[in-house]
Amino acid sequence: MKGLPVLSLLLWVCAVYFVGIYLFVGGFLLVRLEVNRTSACGDVLQPGEEPADFCRARPRFRRVVLLIVDALKIDFARFDAGNAAPRPYENKLPVLEETVSSRPSQSRLYAFRADPPTTTMQRIKGFTTGSLPTFVDVGNNFASSAILEDNLIHQFGQVGKRVVFMGDDTWESLFPKKFHRSLPFPSFNVKDLHTVDHGILQHLYTTMVGDDWDVLVAHFLGVDHCGHRFGPDHPAMADKLTQMDGVIRSVIDRLQNDTLLVVMGDHGMTDTGDHGGESQKETDAAIFLYSPSPIFVGPPSQSEPQVVPQTDLVPTLALLLGVPIPYSSVGQVLLPLFSPHGQTEGAVGGLSQLEALWINAKQVNRFLETYSGMAKDIPPDSLSQLKAEFARLSSEYLSTVREGRSPSPRLASSLQAYLTSVRATCRATWARFNPLKMAAGLAILGFACLMCFILSELSVVLIRENGAGLRAPVAAALTAGVSVAAAQLLTQGHVEAAWCLAAAAFSSEVLFFWRARRFNAPAVSKNGTKAPQSASWLTPRRLLIAPLLVPLLRCASLLSDSYVIAEGRVVTFLVFSLALYIPIHLNWDGLLLPPSPDPLKSAGLLPSPALSPSTVRKESSTLLACLGLLVGSLYLSLSFHGCREEQGSCQPSPFLSPLSRLQDSQLKNLHYVLSVFSLALWTYLLRRCLCHYGNLNSSGGTVFTARWILPLLSVCLGLHWAVSATPEDSFRNLAELIRLAQLSLPRAAFCLLGLGLSLIWLDPLTVFVKTRAAASARSSSLPPPRYRASTGISPQAELHHLIPQIYQRMRRSLDEGELSGGSEADNRPAVEAYGLGTVYSAPVLLFCGLLGLGLLLLHPEGMALSFLLLLLEMGALLHIHASSTTLNGLHGAYSGGFNVPWTPVVLWSLAATQFFHATGHLPTFPSIQWGAAFVGFPDGHTGTILPASLVTLNTFASHILFAAGCPLLLFWPLVCEVRSSRGGRACGDEGEDAVMEMRLRENPQQFSSALLQLATRYLFIHGAQSDSLLPSQVFASVCAAAILRRHLMVWKVFAPKLMFEASGFLVSSAFLLIGVTLVLRVDVAVGRWFKRLIPDPCR
């Protein structure tokens, strides 16, 4: 088999796709330009000609205590006295309502609205800089880097205020060496509800009574972690909120008159405890303001805002504490905290509302002018309008101040409207696009799809050339990339890697198309199979077939946000429809049922068909039974879907919740029993399949994995689930033992998984060999068979599973020996090889099964049943494909070779998308199952690569399994051809016994071309599907994102879809390459096995 050309071509195709994705994403998801300038105390922001030191004025407050309760949803903060049966998260913070009611001039409670993405790092950045985030910022939540923009922490330090921080260690990475004193605690372990909070409480009160601080920041994480682990509707949430209520009371009691208390949440949470998106439940947190001295004119009025944007906290705190507003802030001061114009007597040194608005507006205008001079992305009309409006307001305000007259009542509202307009304009334009990069990415991806299709059609020709067609495109790519890099160095003085990669990818594609034009004459391989002519590559007859119309229609549907939202159920319907198409198409062609008797054939005038009605009925029954199994699996898989915010009344599957969240002990036990049963059945089915085909008889590494590592891994999973479901306070005497088990069991499972996969790779053969002496001198005098392969030990199994590659030659030799009377003695032994018929598929199947258990470990326990359905669906699809191939072969309709048709490839990739949704995943950031990062690492991580990898494996588990198992589509018709006995597959000699996968050894070139064709078809089709992520699907997502980049739902629906599509394609292609490489590794091992078994003179 020509393994190197196959692998080289696939690596090249994937590389071209990666470059196209990289270019488009780089143009579509650019972060906004950061203005690295800082405000200073000498900035002229107040009226007057002469510069003044703004920071020397006496501030309204000398100190501030900032208590951040992570994920403090506004619903948690409100109090309803009429609620007689509050839920666990309701009415647990009565101190807020009591304080607002009893001291209205000293306190306020507002809804505090965050800008998406609602992840902690982006929220900290938002309420310290006053800037707006961009969509791509969500990716930085794993690796928080230092904030370079001007921010409150920097301004506090500039004026000599001592900032003391304690809590979430994210602050340390965002503001390195900025604190007077810092007490960070690890934050990434969402299962730990108490470490951060208890650490804060050990130092909070002693710090407050001291005099070595001016700004105290305490970031509590218990509420957020409780939401992630149990959800808001859990008794643990009631305990956490009650604890926070006590903390707020204690802090209020210790406040001094010159101190402001701010209690706030950085974001909210969904009903499942997640966050990251832009639903109102995720964006609406709470903010509570309090001071022992009066800070408000009176009780709340109708003019006060109901919702406060988070960016408004920045200018408000800056002016109340007497520091400059950060340079890039687009926030608006919270007016109720400032006295009306002319009523500042009660607030010594405080600013009036109009003064605060003026300083705020001048700062925002200064930023707008600086930013528009550096970046040209703000529309000129909007920019001119904003500048003209500020000039008018500035003239009116300054004339009012110079003349000493009372300002117009409309002036304050006009300044507010100006600030609101600036923020709206920035929000609309900060999603900057680079049209040139987007166009280049689209072009490369479009050509990559076409190239992938041509590769699948010309696989025979390319393999016959031994990969020579790849050398010129690679050389052209290197030449073009180096040339562009040199040109950039000469003209610009630096190299931009994106354009070098673009030139390399584009030149290699163009040269490949040019070379493909010479394949006009049909090529004939050794077995007589003709390669297609180039003229027939893209004809409507090849493209407009039912299997390809399905992904093409799905690509077009990506332009609809409604389709993206309802994709999970639509894909399930498409899998069912296309699977149903197979028997309908067979019946239409008259292949599903035995042909009616022909009197001419019975009279001997026509040759009899090489099939029996019983064989056809058996294959048809198998196909229909597997279709029924597929339909049942599809129906049950709908019970494991999650819900998007846009789906309204949709209720997520109860199986998505970990067992630790379930409070009903009977329901918890039922879920656990179902999970363990599914796990046991998964293990049994894998071992049973391998045993049936005789692959558990040898003593190699793969067999050891199937016999011992597979069941041990299942036991580890079952015990891990039991320990994880145990409530923390159930066995207090065994708390340390339970904690040790939570740490050791998943790590032991990871070790077993790594050991098993390594053994499969190092020793992939599952063949058991035995030799026996010849039974008689006459038989021993004849040329002996080189091998005889069987799938079982029993004689009866041998009769049905013989794989004699040279069986027919041996029989001819026997006949010739009888005629010639030869009786020369030869005592060389005959060889029996058990499991040789499934030598390729067995390690691939075990590899996928073992990998599936490892991926299941990263999911909630309830997903075990969904993974079992995935296994059953894979088996059903394989048998439907095998039966369809056999029925075509029995009727003589099979075209020859080992090529896998489009229909099973499309079904396989559709199933990957379908089970992406059936394992509880969605193409949205709130649906990411972050808990996977802590499986085996309950204390968190020191780096970000490992947790990010675990979350990626969890998210794209279905893509991984179907991509790695893709070669099974090539092997399964050969595995199942034993059912067709002598009438089987048309590519064998007439009357030949079923030799199963040994046919591939007889036709190495055909084997290589079929494997290459299957892989390229999977890459092509898998992109034509939504989350299965194949090239054309990625291309369709890219087109949808480009066309709809100004669509209302682009950042809510289409941009997340693009990110998941691109990420999923990278993962799918990587594991497809792993699956193909495993097949090549098995082929090498089989070749060595034959060399050891058969001496050279005998071959």
Side-chain angles (χ1 to χ4, degrees):
M1 179 182 179
K2 299 179 179 180
L4 185 59
V6 172
L7 203 56
S8 301
L9 287 166
L10 290 177
L11 284 170
W12 172 55
V13 170
C14 291
V16 172
Y17 273 117
F18 296 167
V19 170
I21 293 171
Y22 171 71
L23 278 171
F24 183 86
V25 171
F28 183 74
L29 299 178
L30 284 178
V31 296
R32 66 175 175 83
L33 180 67
E34 292 187 352
V35 179
N36 292 324
R37 298 189 184 184
T38 58
S39 300
C41 294
D43 295 340
V44 182
L45 295 176
Q46 291 177 301
E49 299 287 338
E50 298 296 327
D53 191 343
F54 174 77
C55 304
R56 288 189 179 275
R58 184 175 179 181
R60 175 67 184 87
F61 293 101
R62 188 172 67 90
R63 289 177 164 184
V64 61
V65 177
L66 187 61
L67 297 184
I68 303 168
V69 181
D70 206 292
L72 182 62
K73 194 176 178 180
I74 184 61
D75 295 344
F76 298 170
R78 291 185 174 128
F79 188 88
D80 182 7
N83 188 352
R87 303 176 77 171
Y89 61 85
E90 294 176 336
N91 291 0
K92 296 303 183 294
L93 293 170
V95 61
L96 304 182
E97 181 65 26
E98 292 170 6
T99 306
V100 171
S101 301
S102 61
R103 288 173 268 190
S105 63
Q106 299 168 250
S107 57
R108 284 291 189 277
L109 176 65
Y110 299 109
F112 198 39
R113 183 157 295 167
D115 291 292
T118 49
T119 48
T120 296
M121 190 278 280
Q122 285 72 33
R123 295 300 85 242
I124 295 175
K125 186 176 181 180
F127 61 67
T128 56
T129 64
S131 62
L132 299 174
T134 55
F135 174 84
V136 79
D137 279 345
V138 72
N140 296 326
N141 202 49
F142 263 121
S144 306
S145 55
I147 293 177
L148 301 178
E149 281 188 300
D150 195 10
N151 57 80
L152 280 176
I153 304 300
H154 173 76
Q155 290 296 336
F156 288 148
Q158 288 291 99
V159 301
K161 289 189 178 292
R162 296 159 298 177
V163 183
V164 175
F165 167 75
M166 53 188 71
D168 184 350
D169 60 357
T170 304
W171 287 75
E172 269 293 315
S173 58
L174 293 176
F175 305 102
K177 301 180 181 179
K178 294 289 186 181
F179 300 115
H180 175 69
R181 186 155 52 89
S182 177
L183 298 168
F185 300 95
S187 61
F188 202 58
N189 183 8
V190 295
K191 292 188 176 181
D192 184 358
L193 309 186
H194 308 298
T195 298
V196 177
D197 294 0
H198 289 172
I200 293 174
L201 294 179
Q202 288 176 4
H203 303 91
L204 177 62
Y205 305 131
T206 57
T207 301
M208 286 188 66
V209 299
D211 197 34
D212 65 338
W213 64 277
D214 298 298
V215 178
L216 177 57
V217 180
H219 192 150
F220 294 88
L221 286 177
V223 172
D224 178 67
H225 286 189
C226 184
H228 283 297
R229 183 173 180 183
F230 301 111
D233 200 6
H234 191 276
M237 181 62 77
D239 297 339
K240 265 297 156 190
L241 291 174
T242 301
Q243 182 189 32
M244 292 299 102
D245 183 79
V247 170
I248 297 170
R249 291 180 188 275
S250 300
V251 170
I252 288 177
D253 293 340
R254 291 171 170 81
L255 288 178
Q256 299 179 6
N257 288 336
D258 61 351
T259 305
L260 174 67
L261 171 65
V262 180
V263 180
M264 55 175 281
D266 56 343
H267 52 75
M269 67 172 64
T270 63
D271 293 337
T272 59
D274 300 313
H275 59 88
E278 58 180 35
S279 68
Q280 189 170 340
K281 292 180 179 180
E282 296 167 272
T283 58
D284 281 8
I287 184 169
F288 172 74
L289 304 165
Y290 172 81
S291 177
S293 60
I295 52 176
F296 297 96
V297 176
S301 63
Q302 294 294 329
S303 61
E304 288 193 21
Q306 298 296 316
V307 177
V308 176
Q310 277 191 0
T311 52
D312 292 359
L313 179 67
V314 175
T316 302
L317 281 183
L319 296 184
L320 289 175
L321 293 169
V323 301
I325 301 174
Y327 198 95
S328 300
S329 171
V330 293
Q332 183 180 147
V333 291
L334 186 56
L335 285 187
L337 283 165
F338 300 89
S339 302
H341 190 71
Q343 301 181 20
T344 58
E345 294 78 9
V348 180
L351 298 169
S352 69
Q353 291 182 355
L354 194 58
E355 290 171 334
L357 280 173
W358 164 252
I359 295 172
N360 192 184
K362 192 165 184 181
Q363 169 265 322
V364 168
N365 179 72
R366 179 187 61 183
F367 164 73
L368 191 62
E369 290 182 346
T370 304
Y371 181 83
S372 61
M374 298 172 63
K376 306 298 182 183
D377 51 356
I378 299 179
D381 293 343
S382 300
L383 187 61
S384 301
Q385 186 177 352
L386 290 172
K387 288 182 176 180
E389 178 65 12
F390 179 76
R392 183 186 69 80
L393 294 173
S394 176
S395 175
E396 182 179 349
Y397 178 78
L398 293 177
S399 63
T400 299
V401 172
R402 281 194 298 266
E403 296 171 7
R405 53 187 173 85
S406 298
S408 167
R410 294 184 291 103
L411 182 56
S413 59
S414 297
L415 286 169
Q416 284 183 287
Y418 167 76
L419 291 169
T420 303
S421 299
V422 171
R423 179 161 51 192
T425 302
C426 290
R427 180 176 280 115
T429 59
W430 275 352
R432 295 199 305 131
F433 302 114
N434 187 325
L436 190 58
K437 278 191 176 181
M438 292 171 62
L442 277 170
I444 290 174
L445 282 174
F447 284 138
C449 290
L450 179 60
M451 182 179 68
C452 205
F453 183 84
I454 294 174
L455 274 173
S456 71
E457 297 300 309
L458 295 179
S459 59
V460 174
V461 178
L462 293 170
I463 293 299
R464 190 184 69 245
E465 292 193 345
N466 203 26
L470 182 61
R471 295 170 191 166
V474 170
L478 293 175
T479 303
V482 172
S483 300
V484 171
Q488 288 179 336
L489 278 175
L490 292 174
T491 58
Q492 303 175 4
H494 67 277
V495 175
E496 190 173 355
W499 294 115
C500 298
L501 293 173
F506 188 76
S507 60
S508 67
E509 288 177 327
V510 170
L511 187 58
F512 171 80
F513 293 142
W514 182 79
R515 289 177 62 85
R517 292 175 64 249
R518 69 187 180 88
F519 299 130
N520 288 322
V524 182
S525 59
K526 291 181 180 180
N527 67 339
T529 304
K530 290 187 177 182
Q533 298 183 18
S534 61
S536 63
W537 290 340
L538 299 175
T539 59
R541 184 174 176 270
R542 283 186 174 272
L543 290 175
L544 299 181
I545 57 176
L548 286 182
L549 284 177
V550 172
L552 289 176
L553 289 174
R554 294 198 60 231
C555 289
S557 301
L558 285 174
L559 295 171
S560 166
D561 58 330
S562 300
Y563 167 78
V564 176
I565 291 170
E567 184 179 35
R569 293 185 175 273
V570 174
V571 173
T572 304
F573 169 76
L574 291 177
V575 173
F576 167 74
S577 301
L578 193 55
L580 192 61
Y581 161 81
I582 294 176
I584 293 176
H585 182 68
L586 287 172
N587 189 61
W588 180 270
D589 292 339
L591 306 178
L592 189 62
L593 299 175
S596 56
D598 194 327
L600 295 176
K601 291 181 180 180
S602 59
L605 299 178
L606 290 177
S608 299
L611 72 156
S612 65
S614 61
T615 304
V616 176
R617 281 193 292 268
K618 182 179 178 181
E619 289 300 325
S620 301
S621 301
T622 302
L623 189 150
L624 296 177
C626 291
L627 180 63
L629 177 62
L630 176 66
V631 172
S633 300
L634 291 173
Y635 177 77
L636 292 176
S637 69
L638 294 174
S639 305
F640 299 90
H641 282 218
C643 292
R644 295 180 62 114
E645 173 211 350
E646 301 89 348
Q647 290 177 303
S649 59
C650 172
Q651 292 296 322
S653 169
F655 293 98
L656 293 174
S657 300
L659 293 179
S660 57
R661 287 193 182 186
L662 299 179
Q663 302 176 49
D664 188 335
S665 59
Q666 291 185 345
L667 184 61
K668 180 184 291 188
N669 292 336
L670 177 60
H671 279 209
Y672 180 74
V673 170
L674 282 175
S675 300
V676 172
F677 172 77
S678 302
L679 181 63
L681 191 55
W682 173 288
T683 306
Y684 170 78
L685 290 175
L686 283 174
R687 285 172 54 90
R688 183 70 184 86
C689 181
L690 294 172
C691 183
H692 175 71
Y693 290 107
N695 296 112
L696 296 184
N697 299 315
S698 69
S699 56
T702 301
V703 176
F704 178 81
T705 300
R707 284 188 175 276
W708 297 105
I709 295 181
L710 183 65
L712 283 176
L713 182 58
S714 301
V715 171
C716 282
L717 259 69
L719 293 176
H720 168 64
W721 293 341
V723 171
S724 300
T726 304
E728 293 181 349
D729 55 351
S730 297
F731 303 96
R732 295 183 179 179
N733 296 332
L734 301 176
E736 286 300 320
L737 182 61
I738 291 175
R739 180 174 178 79
L740 178 63
Q742 289 177 339
L743 180 70
S744 59
L745 283 172
R747 291 190 178 183
F750 287 140
C751 291
L752 288 172
L753 177 64
L755 177 61
L757 296 179
S758 300
L759 288 175
I760 293 174
W761 182 265
L762 295 174
D763 186 13
L765 289 186
T766 57
V767 180
F768 174 67
V769 181
K770 72 175 183 178
T771 60
R772 57 184 176 83
S776 64
R778 177 180 177 180
S779 62
S780 65
S781 66
L782 299 172
R786 292 181 186 137
Y787 65 88
R788 188 174 62 157
S790 172
T791 62
I793 294 294
S794 67
Q796 184 177 3
E798 278 191 33
L799 292 176
H800 292 285
H801 298 88
L802 285 174
I803 311 176
Q805 184 178 358
I806 57 171
Y807 182 75
Q808 296 299 323
R809 301 174 193 170
M810 183 187 72
R811 186 158 50 184
R812 295 191 195 102
S813 298
L814 287 172
D815 295 338
E816 292 172 2
E818 288 178 354
L819 293 173
S820 62
S823 60
E824 196 173 319
D826 190 348
N827 292 325
R828 289 186 302 176
V831 177
E832 292 178 337
Y834 297 87
L836 196 59
T838 51
V839 67
Y840 291 101
S841 56
V844 174
L845 182 64
L846 183 59
F847 183 89
C848 293
L850 203 65
L851 189 61
L853 290 183
L855 296 172
L856 177 57
L857 178 63
L858 302 176
H859 284 75
E861 301 89 339
M863 287 296 102
L865 185 54
S866 177
F867 270 70
L868 177 63
L869 294 174
L870 182 149
L871 181 67
L872 294 176
E873 185 167 324
M874 290 178 75
L877 289 174
L878 289 173
H879 278 86
I880 290 173
H881 168 46
S883 295
S884 174
T885 303
T886 302
L887 286 170
N888 280 285
L890 289 174
H891 289 79
Y894 191 75
S895 60
F898 306 112
N899 297 343
V900 180
W902 283 106
T903 303
V905 181
V906 175
L907 271 173
W908 197 255
S909 54
L910 278 172
T913 301
Q914 184 247 329
F915 265 100
F916 172 82
H917 294 272
T919 48
H921 296 102
L922 295 166
T924 61
F925 292 109
S927 69
I928 295 176
Q929 299 173 7
W930 300 105
F934 305 102
V935 176
F937 302 91
D939 297 324
H941 302 266
T942 56
T944 58
I945 295 178
L946 182 58
S949 300
L950 292 175
V951 171
T952 301
L953 292 173
N954 165 276
T955 304
F956 300 107
S958 65
H959 301 75
I960 291 170
L961 291 176
F962 279 93
C966 186
L968 293 174
L969 291 172
L970 173 60
F971 301 136
W972 217 252
L974 298 170
V975 171
C976 298
E977 76 167 338
V978 68
R979 296 195 306 266
S980 65
S981 187
R982 296 178 180 269
R985 204 170 162 95
C987 61
D989 295 333
E990 184 180 356
E992 182 178 312
D993 291 87
V995 298
M996 299 169 74
E997 292 174 9
M998 280 300 100
R999 292 189 187 278
L1000 301 172
R1001 290 290 304 174
E1002 295 177 343
N1003 302 279
Q1005 183 169 306
Q1006 210 176 347
F1007 183 12
S1008 302
S1009 64
L1011 186 61
L1012 175 63
Q1013 184 186 64
L1014 173 62
T1016 51
R1017 283 185 172 183
Y1018 187 75
L1019 282 176
F1020 178 82
I1021 295 298
H1022 207 351
Q1025 305 177 21
S1026 174
D1027 282 291
S1028 305
L1029 306 170
L1030 301 180
S1032 49
Q1033 177 58 34
V1034 171
F1035 179 67
S1037 299
V1038 162
C1039 290
I1043 295 170
L1044 303 171
R1045 62 187 182 276
R1046 296 298 181 188
H1047 192 278
L1048 177 65
M1049 304 292 285
V1050 63
W1051 302 116
K1052 190 178 184 67
V1053 175
F1054 297 109
K1057 177 66 174 171
L1058 170 64
M1059 296 295 286
F1060 275 80
E1061 287 288 344
S1063 303
F1065 176 71
L1066 298 179
V1067 173
S1068 294
S1069 56
F1071 277 88
L1072 177 64
L1073 290 172
I1074 290 174
V1076 171
T1077 307
L1078 178 60
V1079 173
L1080 302 180
R1081 172 72 183 92
V1082 176
D1083 188 68
V1084 171
V1086 172
R1088 291 175 179 172
W1089 179 80
F1090 274 115
K1091 287 182 179 180
R1092 291 195 306 268
L1093 185 65
I1094 309 172
D1096 288 337
C1098 301
R1099 286 202 296 265

